[in-house]
Amino acid sequence: MNRKQQQFSMQIMAAQVLLAISCMAQNSAHAQATTSAETPPESPSALDANAIKSQVVITGSAVGNRAPVQTSLKATQPQSVITATFIEQSVTPLADFNAVARIAPSIGSGVSPNGPGLAETKVTLRGFQDGEYNITYDGIPFGDTNNPTHHSTSYFPARIIGGMVIERGPGNASNLGQATFGGSINLFSKELSHDFHFTPYATFGSWNTKMLGVQLDSGITSHFGDTRFMFNGSRLTTDGYLTYSAVTEDNYQFKLQRSLGKDTTITVFSTYNKITSYTPDKGGVTLSQVAQFGKNYALNNDPTSQNYFGYNFNNKGTDFDYIRLQSKLAGWDVDNNLYTYSYTNDTYSGQDASGATANGTKSGPTGNKNVPGYNKLNAYRVNGDILKATNNFDAGLLRVGVWLESANTNRHTYDLDWTLGAPNPKESTAPKNVSYDQRSSWKQYQPFIEFEWNAMPDLTITPGLKYMNFRRSLDATVNQTTRIPTTADQTYTSTLPFLTANYSINKEWSTYAQIAKGFLVPDLSMFYVNNPNLSTPKPQTSTNYQFGAVHQSKNLTLDADVYYIDFNNKIASTGNGNDVVYYNQGGVIYKGVEAAATYYVGAGFSLHANASLNSAKTKDTGLQVAKAPDTTSAFGVLYKANGLYGSLIAKTTGTQYAKDGEPAAYKIASYTTTDLTLGYRWKADMAMMKNIKAQVGISNLFDKQDVTSVSANSKGVQFDQYTFVPARSWSFSVSADF
């Protein structure tokens, strides 16, 4: 999408927003008092992520809407569906989306060292790291543009998420993203209400944490067809658990939906998120710092230190916007999603929070050595369009489509002298205060086709094929690592086959199987070499073999699966300095067993358990890869009856190694976090107020502050940086619905 097209799409979005606000001003007083609480389910196809979300409700079941995670009877690969009810009643409103995902089997890590939702986190999926799996929102993949990694506190805090589907596998050909390699974590916006609601809410918690917000639901407006829209705005402030690690976050979300005739629906969505946080660029605490200052040490108030909070802060701004048009055309169900999103991270940091880098040799005004640091910018805009068309034949569903996307990125790191407040000429060659300064871009397209064949009344077989073409370009005046001007352009292609099947044994049992290829586009770092033309590795690919079974009955949900993943084309390097060349060599075998179950005991009580055994071993050494937990598990008791609800859930991340090769010094023992939530919702007797909800939560109930990660430092183990589970914390939330 070029600049004019982008501006045109944004103008359309702006017009829709203005139209919605005008509509509200004219008609909010006439909102209908209908009794329907949620949008009717969308297309019943198990191949559509939104459809998967809608299939989790089990009619007449006592357990279906109580299970923290469950799997659809129509699933074609291992998955964990997490409902809006669980997010609202068992996860603190302060949390990020990774705190929601942590409940699922094979999901490891995801604990914020600054307190729940108060610093970025990463989760692993079957041992795959962030950047090796997709994250989508309403079916749109998003992520960084140097590699497809994510920032959990940006874009979508948990309080604006209406559900989540974690897919542990490449899915079908229509599953989109640059990293189907490891699977997908799919987030969904909240459903629009048929009724008018005005809901102010607030959360207060440990470390002077406060979050205030309001959600407005228009309901169906009586004078403007069936238009519905929602606006949610909130502000969060906190001092944070870590020293001098304050955070301020503003989040705004708007969603509108309207029918345009009998068979056409338009959805407009926009969200904006802004965060200012005080944190070192490369955080963590050394063991000597722990001994001197404690596990919560991060920054200080000493201007002669590289850890001075005034030198370590960032400003992040993101937006995510789309216009989705769903219609029928000549017998086809057509779904087109035009979108754009952006990320700007302007970071200022001391040179080295570990203390491995000493202050400079110049004498400052106070007689102290000058404090080195840097300014780092990562700013990108992504534009794209996803077109899917589905036709229902007697033999099954045919789906075809294409994903088009482009991106432009500006990245730099400039060296600073904090003492002098001036550029720091520390580099070996000119320009001596520039570590790197680069522009990069990509253009990609992915056409696909798949057929959901009704082979038998109870058997569905879905073959599919997808082609990936990804062109990445770099134009660097000072290239990262090599520091030389570099212009490069490479195109990566791959053809990916898919085959899935689902067999319904009866109304309560189904089985599924999958053979499918995933892929991962090489990072931008492949260009950080002296001659990019000699460094042309193929995309890394995975071949997934999976089999599972699902059970859903009145009092029990149960699913289990086994998987075997053959990872090929692992990227390796040879040479030193500017002579480094990247190429493909070897791979990893991922295999394991996963299971989850929820049983409704009665009287409002449910029991939940899930667990996984996960092996991720390199083909050449047979050793577990770094940062890949060997097990995960979660156990919980949940209650919901007569307006009272609560949960007690313990999540364990198993043993892992911080470095490849399983070095004993970098073995991280398993750790468990236990969270307690209690809440009550009661109907108000006041004429205008519909209900009031109050909720209290305790995170890390048993105050166990175990190690969660270790970042190795090439200058010595004494400079290795550790992160820990934060101390026990509390939160209290209240909301009123008018």
Side-chain angles (χ1 to χ4, degrees), residues 492-570:
Y492 309 100
T493 63
S494 186
T495 300
L496 306 170
F498 299 81
L499 181 63
T500 64
N502 177 283
Y503 178 67
S504 177
I505 300 172
N506 53 43
K507 292 182 179 180
E508 296 184 350
W509 281 96
S510 70
T511 61
Y512 59 83
Q514 177 186 60
I515 303 175
K517 277 191 174 294
F519 72 98
L520 179 64
V521 172
D523 292 353
L524 184 65
S525 60
M526 300 300 102
F527 288 150
Y528 303 165
V529 295
N530 191 42
N531 189 347
N533 293 326
L534 299 178
S535 186
T536 57
K538 298 178 182 179
Q540 300 177 103
T541 60
S542 62
T543 304
N544 292 51
Y545 305 89
Q546 307 190 99
F547 174 82
V550 183
H551 172 78
Q552 292 181 354
S553 59
K554 181 178 180 181
N555 294 325
L556 177 66
T557 67
L558 172 67
D559 63 88
D561 68 89
V562 295
Y563 68 90
Y564 181 92
I565 304 171
D566 186 359
F567 158 31
N568 290 305
N569 293 342
K570 183 178 181 181

Side-chain angles (χ1 to χ4, degrees), residues 112-114 118-120 153 239 242-248 275-284 297-300 306-316 345-351 353 374 376 418 721 723:
S112 166
N114 200 31
L118 305 183
E120 283 191 6
T153 56
D239 292 338
L242 301 177
T243 57
Y244 293 91
S245 295
V247 180
T248 300
I275 299 176
T276 297
S277 60
Y278 290 85
T279 181
D281 184 39
K282 299 176 182 178
Y297 178 73
L299 299 174
N300 59 42
Q306 294 177 45
N307 288 46
Y308 176 52
F309 76 92
Y311 305 152
N312 294 270
F313 59 92
N314 59 58
N315 296 294
K316 296 181 181 180
N345 180 357
D346 193 16
T347 290
Y348 291 84
S349 181
Q351 191 67 41
Y374 55 87
K376 184 173 75 173
W418 282 112
Q721 292 173 285
T723 60

Side-chain angles (χ1 to χ4, degrees), residues 18 36 46 193 229 241 263 278 280 341 397 401 404 546 614 650 657:
L18 291 173
S36 177
S193 174
F229 65 87
Y241 167 65
D263 298 321
Y278 290 85
Y341 66 87
L397 290 174
L404 308 172
Q546 307 190 99
N614 307 103
Y657 292 87

